[in-house]
Amino acid sequence: MALIGPFTIPISHQPNTKMNPPTNDLPPLKNIEKSGTYVMKLIKPKDDKMLERFKVNKRGYASCRLFFVDGDGNCMTKNYSVEFGKGLAMLVGKMTGTFSPEPPTSMTVDNLIRYVSPAFGRKASIEIEATPDKEWNGKMQFNYKLTKISPTLNASAEGKPTDVPEAFSSGADEQVPF
């Protein structure tokens, strides 16, 4: 508040908003550095970040960058493309506990989002081989190989796909081609 003559004028650089206090319930995130078995959850990207995680790669194929985290804050990202879709089909199938056919190479980004969406929020026990790659911004980066995936019963998913809007970019209304 500033007092200018007989007037009191509120001075603020931010609007008068209430902020939620930070919650420290969650552990800090850290990269997985050791090989082993982790109970990982596949995290759905926020809607405004969806098209940064799902896009067409340099070779012209729909691809995605999936983020996994466990209860201790261990996390990893893994890239998948429909160019080599067997690994993605195995991941989605194992995470959901159902058969998932290999995605066709002609799949669009919108259909890839729909294809992966049943696995969002699901947990699975994953055996991971972590190998050091290179340093970036002073931190060691790792390559991850998923050697075994076993679905875990997850009360939050209950076999229902999460809410994924019909289209994120092109307005495509075509159905998933399988």
Side-chain angles (χ1 to χ4, degrees):
M1 295 286 208
L3 188 62
I4 301 176
F7 303 105
T8 304
I9 302 171
I11 297 177
S12 174
H13 298 290
Q14 296 183 4
N16 194 9
T17 59
K18 292 182 181 179
M19 297 188 65
N20 293 334
T23 58
N24 294 327
D25 297 343
L26 300 174
L29 296 178
K30 57 190 179 291
N31 286 335
I32 294 175
E33 298 177 351
K34 294 189 296 183
S35 297
T37 302
Y38 299 85
V39 177
M40 305 295 286
K41 181 177 184 179
L42 178 58
I43 303 298
K44 177 186 173 195
K46 293 180 181 178
D47 288 342
D48 59 336
K49 300 284 185 188
M50 188 72 76
L51 290 177
E52 292 175 22
R53 299 288 182 167
F54 288 82
K55 58 187 172 185
V56 176
N57 64 14
K58 292 177 184 175
R59 292 180 160 188
Y61 296 99
S63 64
C64 58
R65 184 172 181 86
L66 301 178
F67 180 73
F68 299 84
V69 68
D70 73 359
D72 296 328
N74 296 309
C75 63
M76 69 172 195
T77 57
K78 187 108 171 92
N79 295 325
Y80 290 94
S81 168
V82 296
E83 182 179 10
F84 306 104
K86 287 184 181 183
L88 181 61
M90 185 210 55
L91 175 77
V92 172
K94 293 284 188 171
M95 296 291 284
T96 60
T98 60
F99 173 76
S100 184
E102 183 177 349
T105 56
S106 61
M107 183 177 274
T108 64
V109 171
D110 290 334
N111 284 335
L112 181 59
I113 293 170
R114 288 188 204 105
Y115 180 83
V116 176
S117 68
F120 289 145
R122 299 290 183 109
K123 291 182 182 178
S125 177
I126 304 176
E127 285 184 24
I128 300 170
E129 286 183 15
T131 55
D133 187 20
K134 60 186 176 233
E135 202 170 293
W136 185 74
N137 282 349
K139 286 186 167 184
M140 182 56 75
Q141 301 297 304
F142 293 88
N143 286 327
Y144 301 108
K145 181 179 179 183
L146 311 183
T147 57
K148 184 179 178 184
I149 302 174
S150 304
T152 59
L153 294 178
N154 178 347
S156 65
E158 295 179 356
K160 299 176 190 173
T162 56
D163 57 335
V164 174
E166 284 301 313
F168 280 92
S169 59
S170 62
D173 55 353
E174 63 221 12
Q175 296 297 318
V176 179
F178 49 83

